[in-house]
């Protein structure tokens, strides 16, 4: 497979396009370069000279987005800030790009439905697909159906256990291991490097959970010798599950002094459980999480939460800039990794309006 390098000219164009119209840091661009960001409206993609993919290698056909039917497969229902913002961003950018037709589906957190959704998008004439995978594995039947017709597939947010530029074109998203590492650094700093920590794991079967756990645990081992991880239990990335699991953990481990939640919704659920237990969140038990939702960041401002690592869901500009370049025959990065900001007691008040 031929690998190419992204040109400086393409990088500059992508950086400009991706920086426009976004309201949270760290999650938009192709290839390399753009503006710095940390909880602001500007975006930045990490510099990379990694492998690229182009239309000739993928064996697709050139097409103008204005003549294209674009299909979007969302993995989960829009009942949390991340998915709401993600879907809206894709819809808004499709309208801005003036695509011939835009079709959106929602798998409602069911893998079999996401497979059938993607197959239905193909049968409805989708020329390109943007997919937010439910899990890292299991979408092979849908990917194969797209590949048989050489339909370009851009994946966002969750990375597939598949081969870029073969099974799909490109992955756009965060460095999830780095997110976990940075959350650990926040916790170590906030606790003074001492305490007993419980981890609220995300959903099983996807790389986000695996990577955010690895980054956090490895960093605690490396730098937090006075910190003990006393429990790890899945909260399924859901607020209600995060609350119920935390209630159980506080009963079985009353010595817990900090919670690391792998998304904000679980962290907010943990906050409710801490209050129900008669303790003060942010003080008696510290809370750290990943996402950057306005709900969580506002709690830092209120002194009821301690730290949030950003994971920006506004993929629209990046996804359509990537598609436009790819469909024109230009190379795009196989892994387009964004830089994420963070929120803490020192900056939350000034940056909360940039949260989603």
């Amino acid at each position: 497979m031929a690998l190419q390098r992204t040109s400086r000219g393409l990088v500059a164009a992508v950086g400009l396009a991706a920086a426009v119209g976004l309201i949270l840091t760290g999650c938009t661009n192709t290839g390399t370069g753009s503006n710095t960001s940390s909880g602001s409206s500007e975006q930045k993609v990490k510099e990379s000279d990694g492998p690229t993919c182009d239309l000739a290698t993928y064996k697709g056909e050139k097409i103008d987005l204005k003549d294209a039917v674009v299909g979007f497969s969302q993995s989960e229902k829009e009942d949390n800030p991340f998915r709401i913002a993600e879907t809206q961003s894709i819809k808004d950018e499709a309208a801005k790009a003036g695509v011939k037709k835009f079709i959106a589906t929602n798998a409602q957190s069911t893998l079999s439905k996401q497979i059938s959704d993607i197959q239905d998008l193909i049968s409805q004439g989708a020329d390109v697909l943007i997919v937010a995978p439910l899990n890292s594995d299991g979408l092979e039947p849908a990917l194969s159906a797209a590949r048989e017709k050489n339909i370009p597939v851009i994946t966002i947010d969750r990375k597939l256990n598949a081969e870029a530029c073969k099974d799909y074109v490109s992955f756009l998203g965060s460095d999830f291991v780095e997110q976990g590492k940075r959350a650990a650094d926040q916790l170590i700093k906030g606790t003074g490097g001492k305490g007993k920590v419980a981890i609220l794991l995300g959903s099983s079967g996807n790389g986000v959970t695996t990577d955010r756990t690895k980054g956090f645990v490895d960093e605690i081992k490396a730098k937090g010798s006075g910190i003990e991880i006393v429990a790890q239990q899945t909260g399924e990335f859901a607020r209600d599950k995060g609350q119920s699991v935390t209630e159980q953990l506080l009963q079985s481990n009353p010595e817990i002094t900090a919670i690391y939640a792998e998304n904000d919704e679980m962290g907010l659920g943990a906050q409710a459980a801490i209050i129900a237990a008669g303790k003060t969140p942010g003080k008696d038990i510290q809370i750290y999480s990943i996402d950057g939702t306005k709900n969580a960041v506002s709690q830092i401002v209120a002194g009821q939460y301690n730290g949030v690592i950003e994971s920006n869901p506004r993929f629209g500009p990046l996804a359509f800039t990537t598609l436009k370049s790819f469909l024109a025959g230009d190379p795009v990065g196989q892994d387009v990794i964004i830089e994420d900001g963070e929120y803490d007691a020192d900056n939350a008040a000034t940056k909360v309006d940039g949260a989603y």
Side-chain angles (χ1 to χ4, degrees), residues 313-355:
R314 293 183 173 97
F315 285 99
L318 175 58
F320 280 89
T321 300
T322 303
L323 280 173
K324 183 177 181 180
S325 296
F326 181 77
L327 294 173
D330 297 324
V332 299
Q334 292 184 15
D335 289 293
V336 181
I337 307 301
I338 60 170
E339 292 189 358
D340 295 310
E342 62 183 78
Y343 301 89
D344 56 27
D346 293 332
N347 68 14
T350 59
K351 294 185 179 296
V352 64
D353 288 341

Side-chain angles (χ1 to χ4, degrees), residues 50-71:
T52 61
C53 184
D54 61 50
L55 203 57
T57 304
Y58 195 77
K59 303 188 187 307
E61 296 181 3
K62 288 186 178 181
I63 183 173
D64 190 305
L65 276 174
K66 295 185 185 301
D67 299 321
V69 176
V70 178

Side-chain angles (χ1 to χ4, degrees), residues 179-347:
Q179 287 178 338
K181 176 182 177 181
R182 292 172 64 197
D185 289 338
Q186 279 193 329
L187 187 147
I188 292 168
K189 180 180 178 180
T191 61
K194 298 179 180 179
K196 296 184 182 296
V197 178
I199 300 176
L200 296 180
L201 304 168
S203 301
S204 302
N206 73 72
V208 178
T209 297
T210 301
D211 289 351
R212 286 179 179 171
T213 303
K214 174 178 172 54
F216 183 85
V217 172
D218 287 353
E219 188 74 351
I220 292 295
K221 288 180 179 178
K223 298 181 180 179
S225 60
I227 294 174
E228 179 184 358
I229 298 173
V230 297
Q232 298 185 49
Q233 191 168 330
T234 182
E236 302 292 347
F237 287 132
R239 187 183 299 202
D240 57 350
K241 188 68 179 293
Q243 180 174 348
S244 62
V245 168
T246 302
E247 289 170 351
Q248 297 168 12
L249 291 176
L250 293 180
Q251 290 176 4
S252 58
N253 301 274
E255 74 278 13
I256 289 173
T257 57
I259 300 283
Y260 163 53
E262 292 183 344
N263 79 338
D264 287 356
E265 284 295 287
M266 292 191 296
L268 292 166
Q271 182 189 52
I274 292 167
I275 293 172
K279 297 186 176 182
T280 302
K283 295 180 180 178
D284 296 332
I285 301 177
Q286 296 188 12
I287 309 170
Y288 299 87
S289 61
I290 299 172
D291 263 351
T293 65
K294 189 166 292 185
N295 289 334
V297 177
S298 65
Q299 289 305 302
I300 300 177
V301 178
Q304 301 279 302
Y305 215 96
N306 303 92
V308 172
I309 302 301
E310 180 187 53
S311 192
N312 185 357
R314 293 183 173 97
F315 285 99
L318 175 58
F320 280 89
T321 300
T322 303
L323 280 173
K324 183 177 181 180
S325 296
F326 181 77
L327 294 173
D330 297 324
V332 299
Q334 292 184 15
D335 289 293
V336 181
I337 307 301
I338 60 170
E339 292 189 358
D340 295 310
E342 62 183 78
Y343 301 89
D344 56 27
D346 293 332
N347 68 14

Side-chain angles (χ1 to χ4, degrees), residues 90-258:
I90 297 294
K91 288 182 176 179
D92 289 348
E93 202 63 23
K96 187 183 296 184
V99 302
K100 179 180 178 181
K101 186 177 182 180
F102 178 73
I103 310 171
T105 62
N106 192 300
Q108 302 291 316
S109 300
T110 303
L111 181 61
S112 59
K113 187 175 186 308
Q114 185 161 44
I115 292 171
S116 64
D117 282 350
I118 295 171
Q119 292 170 335
D120 287 345
L121 289 170
I122 294 171
S123 69
Q124 292 182 66
D127 297 299
V128 294
L129 293 168
I130 301 170
V131 178
L134 178 63
N135 294 323
S136 299
D137 296 297
L139 285 179
E140 290 82 6
L143 294 176
S144 295
R147 201 66 187 90
E148 286 176 3
K149 296 189 175 184
N150 292 330
I151 297 173
V153 177
I154 299 292
T155 64
I156 61 174
D157 178 35
R158 293 176 180 171
K159 190 171 184 178
L160 295 169
N161 290 325
E163 186 175 344
C165 209
K166 179 182 177 183
D167 303 311
Y168 64 96
V169 172
S170 181
F171 163 73
L172 319 179
S174 298
D175 183 334
F176 304 118
V177 173
E178 181 70 13
Q179 287 178 338
K181 176 182 177 181
R182 292 172 64 197
D185 289 338
Q186 279 193 329
L187 187 147
I188 292 168
K189 180 180 178 180
T191 61
K194 298 179 180 179
K196 296 184 182 296
V197 178
I199 300 176
L200 296 180
L201 304 168
S203 301
S204 302
N206 73 72
V208 178
T209 297
T210 301
D211 289 351
R212 286 179 179 171
T213 303
K214 174 178 172 54
F216 183 85
V217 172
D218 287 353
E219 188 74 351
I220 292 295
K221 288 180 179 178
K223 298 181 180 179
S225 60
I227 294 174
E228 179 184 358
I229 298 173
V230 297
Q232 298 185 49
Q233 191 168 330
T234 182
E236 302 292 347
F237 287 132
R239 187 183 299 202
D240 57 350
K241 188 68 179 293
Q243 180 174 348
S244 62
V245 168
T246 302
E247 289 170 351
Q248 297 168 12
L249 291 176
L250 293 180
Q251 290 176 4
S252 58
N253 301 274
E255 74 278 13
I256 289 173
T257 57

